[in-house]
Amino acid sequence: MSTYRVAQVAAPGGQFAIVEREMPQPGPGHVRIAVDACGICHSDAFFVNAGLPGVRFPLVPGHEIAGRIEELGEGTQDKGWHVGDRVAVGWFGGSCGHCTPCRQGDFVVCENLKVPGWAYDGGYAEAVIAPADALARIPDALAGPDAAPLGCAGVTTYNGLRRSSARPGDLVAVLGIGGLGHLGVKYAAAMGFETVAIARGAGKADFAKQLGAHHYIDSTADTTVADALQSLGGAKVVLATAANSDATTATVDGLSPRGELVVIGADTEPLGISPNQLLMSGKIVRGHPSGTAQDVQDTLAFSALHGIRPMTEVVPLDQADQAYQKMLSGAARFRMVLTTR
């Protein structure tokens, strides 16, 4: 095919329109991916609204990409990639390789991180050019629409838990059971943690148990979240997926001594935590970014092994604008995914 379709916005805050473009060729160290599916992440709004520096328009967002390699750039076959390989690209869309974090092997905090939809055109499209160091292999057991959201929502929750201080049998709480949190609960249970789900309203208790939670805490109940966690023995880790600083702050006193708050839900408001809450019991507050391509591949493999799939609503690329608006409204349950076939 000599052309391909993309869903793009022409100006900040604009609507998505389907546009045909000339098919690009991958340069050295890059591959062209035929996109099967792309998740719509809430952080796409930062790009659409020009909320981050260096965003260029027209913009094609999308950093939860699943597809097949259809053309190799020079040098990529030497790295083990072949036409037809099923691959995913997530928030980690490649690194510079020369900044201090990269030289230390900490590629996910690269100072020049190449996020798809920011550094280059993303996955709201029928094809994507991506650097080979961004590629993760998709297991045969995972369909494209299931694999796509795991490149961001999946790896962020999975990696946040596995790199925490919690060990099997420890009490681990997941704050929020939305697009990130529903996966966080599933991963926590599969990792052998005594899993607590925290959300608003008593009506979500049954759903939390269906996801695998052993306990449910209603954050609107008379008992505070911190007291409820302490009544269970105190949480070794709280994975804060909710984009709400007040709700995140409310969990700190529910941590056990040397407990850890792992923040992955983005909010511009500051956390209301005092030094005294941390000092006497040695508590830790840590922000956690998503994960490298290898971390994405580990997430995909773990998900396939344990039968973990995101809850998705799949729509064709033509409906990108409607799907994006549904994500923004909070009505998605829980990940909107665009497909090209």
Side-chain angles (χ1 to χ4, degrees):
M1 127 184 4
S2 60
T3 63
Y4 72 113
R5 298 182 309 147
V6 305
Q8 68 175 37
V9 288
Q15 290 187 320
F16 283 91
I18 304 298
V19 176
E20 282 207 7
R21 296 183 176 182
E22 289 294 318
M23 182 64 75
Q25 302 302 309
H30 289 66
V31 303
R32 187 172 73 232
I33 301 168
V35 177
D36 292 325
C38 184
I40 297 178
C41 180
H42 200 278
S43 57
D44 289 338
F46 290 125
F47 309 134
V48 172
N49 295 320
L52 293 169
V55 176
R56 298 179 299 274
F57 292 85
L59 173 81
V60 181
H63 57 266
E64 294 184 342
I65 303 163
R68 297 165 287 106
I69 296 177
E70 64 176 6
E71 188 166 348
L72 298 167
E74 181 183 349
T76 53
Q77 192 163 7
D78 296 340
K79 297 178 181 178
W81 300 106
H82 301 90
V83 171
D85 287 350
R86 297 181 68 228
V87 294
V89 179
W91 177 267
F92 179 86
S95 56
C96 72
H98 59 75
C99 69
T100 297
C102 283
R103 287 169 61 84
Q104 294 172 337
D106 198 359
F107 300 106
V108 76
V109 290
C110 169
E111 294 172 2
N112 306 290
L113 188 67
K114 302 171 185 176
V115 180
W118 188 3
Y120 53 87
D121 286 341
Y124 291 22
E126 293 176 329
V128 166
I129 301 287
D133 67 327
L135 304 179
R137 296 188 186 276
I138 300 176
D140 291 340
L142 284 178
D146 290 329
L150 301 183
C152 180
V155 70
T156 303
T157 50
Y158 172 78
N159 229 23
L161 289 167
R162 76 163 173 169
R163 298 192 183 281
S164 75
S165 57
R167 296 295 176 263
D170 286 341
L171 190 77
V172 169
V174 178
L175 173 64
I177 50 176
L180 291 169
H182 84 285
L183 286 167
V185 172
K186 289 184 177 186
Y187 287 133
M191 289 177 182
F193 302 138
E194 184 179 353
T195 303
V196 185
I198 306 170
R200 293 177 58 84
K204 296 179 182 177
D206 288 342
F207 175 60
K209 299 294 178 63
Q210 291 168 16
L211 293 173
H214 303 98
H215 311 280
Y216 177 74
I217 294 174
D218 173 11
S219 62
T220 66
D222 291 339
T223 303
T224 68
V225 168
D227 285 345
L229 286 173
Q230 289 297 343
S231 73
L232 295 171
K236 181 68 174 178
V237 167
V238 171
L239 183 72
T241 75
N244 185 313
S245 292
D246 288 341
T248 299
T249 298
T251 67
V252 173
D253 288 336
L255 291 169
S256 65
R258 300 205 180 276
E260 183 179 11
L261 172 63
V262 180
V263 180
I264 63 174
D267 191 4
T268 57
E269 295 300 315
L271 295 173
I273 300 170
S274 73
N276 287 346
Q277 287 177 277
L278 307 177
L279 288 171
M280 296 301 291
S281 52
K283 294 172 183 173
I284 299 165
V285 179
R286 179 168 64 85
H288 174 74
S290 60
T292 65
Q294 183 61 54
D295 293 325
V296 172
Q297 190 162 308
D298 292 347
T299 302
L300 295 169
F302 186 89
S303 301
L305 181 65
H306 290 275
I308 294 173
R309 305 291 186 271
M311 297 179 66
T312 61
E313 184 175 341
V314 179
V315 299
L317 181 65
D318 291 343
Q319 296 179 23
D321 193 70
Q322 298 96 308
Y324 175 79
Q325 296 301 330
K326 187 168 185 177
M327 176 279 296
L328 279 184
S329 73
R333 293 292 182 270
F334 284 102
R335 307 297 291 186
M336 301 301 297
V337 177
L338 303 174
T339 58
T340 60
R341 292 166 181 82

